[in-house]
Amino acid sequence: MKKLFVNTPKDVVAKLPRAEYQGRIVVVQSVEECRRAVRALSQSSILGFDSETRPNFKKGRMHKVALIQICDDTTCFLFRVNQFGLPIELVDLLSRTDILKVGLSLKDDFQQLRSRQAFTPGGFIDLQQTAKDMGLQDMSLQKLYANFCGERISKSAQLTNWEADVLTPAQKSYAAFDAYACLRLYHEMGRLQQTGQFSLVESAI
């Protein structure tokens, strides 16, 4: 029986081992590379999804989505859409209903992506709704991943420049893991929902 915190304590998260992405990372920087990446991803029925935007430190200034991360079980593709926009192949993948995409707080992602190009998302599942359905209240990726998978996601690269000419190794690892974490969470949440082998606790014991 797995115990899940309704609200995951910060001190519990801090004590967990740090999560590390072990898969392959492919940085996509052109339309042709995007086409090849979409063909590879289209072979999977379930994908992890996330996006990154350059942080805004000035009031009233907004940046567009700079990076879209999409992963299967072995590889994460980092689409640098600040460099080549949203090609039709990538829009089609995000719109397909026959390929499941799982992410977190998707409403915000969609709103920011539409500032680049209008499209209708298809086949998406928001894990925050899944967590809510299971009786949880903490909805951040870091808290959910700690709760379900027993590892701590480092957020040190979150507020870095995602429009930089070259992404650092830390940025690439952080971005890839966020998409992979959504995919792993989807499988673990589904397993527990199916088996019912979990209980909720209010605080650390």
Side-chain angles (χ1 to χ4, degrees), residues 55-178:
N56 172 36
F57 299 113
K58 293 184 179 179
K59 185 177 181 180
R61 185 176 182 180
M62 298 293 292
H63 297 287
K64 295 182 179 181
V65 172
L67 190 73
I68 295 176
Q69 307 100 275
I70 307 177
C71 74
D72 57 21
D73 289 330
T74 62
T75 305
C76 187
F77 293 89
L78 308 183
F79 296 86
R80 302 209 67 190
V81 295
N82 64 301
Q83 296 183 351
F84 58 85
L86 286 179
I88 185 62
E89 291 84 0
L90 183 54
V91 172
D92 284 347
L93 178 63
L94 298 177
S95 303
R96 287 180 62 170
T97 57
D98 61 324
I99 297 179
L100 189 66
K101 281 82 67 176
V102 293
L104 208 70
S105 190
L106 292 173
K107 183 179 179 181
D108 294 336
D109 287 310
F110 296 156
Q111 183 177 356
Q112 292 176 325
L113 283 171
R114 287 192 183 104
S115 70
R116 286 201 172 273
Q117 181 173 324
F119 75 103
T120 302
F124 280 88
I125 288 182
D126 195 322
L127 297 175
Q128 287 188 332
Q129 184 59 53
T130 306
K132 183 178 179 180
D133 292 343
M134 295 178 73
L136 307 180
Q137 294 179 8
D138 266 336
M139 299 296 171
S140 72
L141 180 60
Q142 187 181 49
K143 292 287 188 71
L144 287 175
Y145 198 80
N147 210 3
F148 282 89
C149 302
E151 293 182 324
R152 172 178 53 86
I153 298 176
S154 171
K155 309 300 284 186
S156 60
Q158 184 178 27
L159 297 179
T160 55
N161 182 11
W162 295 103
E163 295 179 6
D165 290 341
V166 178
L167 296 178
T168 66
Q171 283 179 307
K172 289 187 283 188
S173 179
Y174 169 86
F177 196 89
D178 272 10

Side-chain angles (χ1 to χ4, degrees), residues 2 4 134 148-149 183-194:
K2 190 179 188 72
L4 299 174
M134 295 178 73
F148 282 89
C149 302
L183 190 60
R184 187 176 175 193
L185 272 173
Y186 170 79
H187 289 303
E188 181 64 8
M189 286 175 156
R191 182 186 71 81
L192 292 176
Q193 283 182 308
Q194 185 175 15

